[in-house]
Amino acid sequence: MMKKYRFLVLRRIAQIGLLCLYVLGNYAGIKILQGNLSGSLLFEMIPLSDPFAILQLLFSGAIVGINALVGGLIILVFYGLIVGRAFCSYICPMNLVTDLANYLRRVLNISYAPLYLSRRIRYVVLFLTLILSSLFGMAAFEAISPIGMIHRGIVFGMGFGAFAVLLVFLLDLFVVSHGFCGHLCPLGAFYSLVSKFAFLKVKYDLDSCTHCMECKKICPEKQVLGLIGKESGKVIGGECTRCGRCIEVCGDNALRFNLLDFAKKEIR
């Protein structure tokens, strides 16, 4: 049973654990991690910044400090070259909200409204965010981001952000599955664009597959699993969130992360 939900447990440990570290760092004097998801300080020494927030600031014409630039580069390298779009599954607190909405929808058998949203909308929102940042001289998405609102709300106290979080919850519950994260969020779009060549990928073995398609049923970004039933290989789409859901439901062991390949090479 634990094996079936191992990545779900890992996601919750990472998300809740980070929130606890921020709370402890800001209020209890345990300064492992201070700040918020836009800008943090690790061990009071290492700057960490949201690279998309930095990009918005640069478009707005703001002068960005060297620490913020270095922090943004660290995060960009970590996600862009190593773990891909894992932020959306393992770090983003909004994932807790959308997962709850999708769970309740399945349990309560709620039907979606007849509304179609293209997943390409998020790239349009990304482009518009940069344009608006330039026009208004401010980081446009940061001002209205439900991600930032829920994180700051949990760490510093919930205010108006509760309304934005509720809207996202209702969108996923009644309108579109993964409506915000999979269709509208420009931050997810940003990490999708920079994550295509990241090392961590899901690997698929056609010979082991019995074509049950459970992986496609559970995947929040089904379009990245186009190779299922066709050919062995790696899921190369940058939109893959590395959540591990497809691996958990695969009874054929046809899906796994390529970390095992790296470990075998190291042993040899």
Side-chain angles (χ1 to χ4, degrees), residues 1 15 19-20 29 48 51 56 62 79 126 144 149 154 164 166 176-177 179 190 193 208 237 239 242 246 254 257 262:
M1 181 64 71
Q15 290 160 339
L19 287 172
C20 289
L48 301 173
Q56 293 172 71
Y79 289 112
L126 169 61
I144 61 171
M149 288 180 183
I154 292 173
L166 178 61
V176 180
S177 177
F190 173 81
L193 292 175
S208 301
E239 292 170 342
R242 278 72 169 179
C246 59
F257 282 120
F262 181 76

Side-chain angles (χ1 to χ4, degrees), residues 83-86 89-90 195 198 200-201 235 237-238 240-244 257:
V83 300
R85 193 188 158 194
S89 289
Y90 293 86
S195 298
L200 181 65
K201 287 182 171 62
V235 176
C240 174
T241 66
R242 278 72 169 179
C243 64
F257 282 120

Side-chain angles (χ1 to χ4, degrees), residues 39-147:
S40 307
L41 198 60
L42 181 64
F43 298 122
E44 299 186 87
M45 295 174 52
I46 304 172
L48 301 173
S49 306
D50 176 1
F52 183 51
I54 297 296
L55 185 61
Q56 293 172 71
L57 288 172
L58 292 174
F59 267 77
S60 74
I63 298 175
V64 181
I66 186 64
N67 282 349
L69 289 173
V70 170
L73 182 60
I74 291 172
I75 296 298
L76 185 63
V77 169
F78 179 69
Y79 289 112
L81 298 183
I82 303 175
V83 300
R85 193 188 158 194
F87 171 86
C88 298
S89 289
Y90 293 86
I91 305 301
C92 182
M94 190 57 65
N95 180 256
L96 294 165
V97 176
T98 57
D99 274 5
L100 175 61
N102 283 279
Y103 171 75
L104 290 176
R105 176 183 51 81
R106 292 193 301 270
V107 171
L108 301 176
N109 196 27
I110 298 174
S111 298
Y112 280 127
L115 175 67
Y116 170 75
L117 284 179
S118 171
R119 291 183 180 273
R120 295 181 180 179
I121 293 176
R122 54 187 162 194
Y123 298 106
V124 176
V125 176
L126 169 61
F127 177 74
L128 288 175
T129 295
L130 298 179
I131 296 298
L132 291 174
S133 296
S134 179
L135 290 175
F136 293 105
M138 58 180 291
F141 181 64
E142 295 307 300
I144 61 171
S145 169
I147 301 169

Side-chain angles (χ1 to χ4, degrees), residues 178-252:
H178 305 287
F180 176 75
C181 301
H183 299 79
L184 301 176
C185 181
L187 182 56
F190 173 81
Y191 280 120
S192 294
L193 292 175
V194 303
S195 298
K196 185 175 178 61
F197 301 104
F199 167 76
L200 181 65
K201 287 182 171 62
V202 174
K203 188 173 182 180
Y204 170 66
D205 179 18
L206 177 62
D207 294 332
S208 301
C209 181
T210 58
H211 311 287
C212 67
M213 298 300 166
E214 290 298 319
C215 54
K216 284 196 171 185
K217 293 178 184 177
I218 197 68
C219 180
E221 298 279 1
K222 296 175 176 55
Q223 71 279 6
V224 304
L225 295 179
L227 79 171
I228 301 298
K230 298 177 182 177
E231 59 180 344
S232 297
K234 296 176 182 177
V235 176
I236 61 173
E239 292 170 342
C240 174
T241 66
R242 278 72 169 179
C243 64
R245 289 180 174 92
C246 59
I247 300 174
E248 290 175 333
V249 301
C250 183
D252 307 321

Side-chain angles (χ1 to χ4, degrees), residues 19-20 23 27 93 96 148-158:
L19 287 172
C20 289
V23 171
Y27 291 106
L96 294 165
M149 288 180 183
I150 187 174
H151 187 266
R152 290 190 295 270
I154 292 173
V155 176
F156 301 110
M158 190 68 74

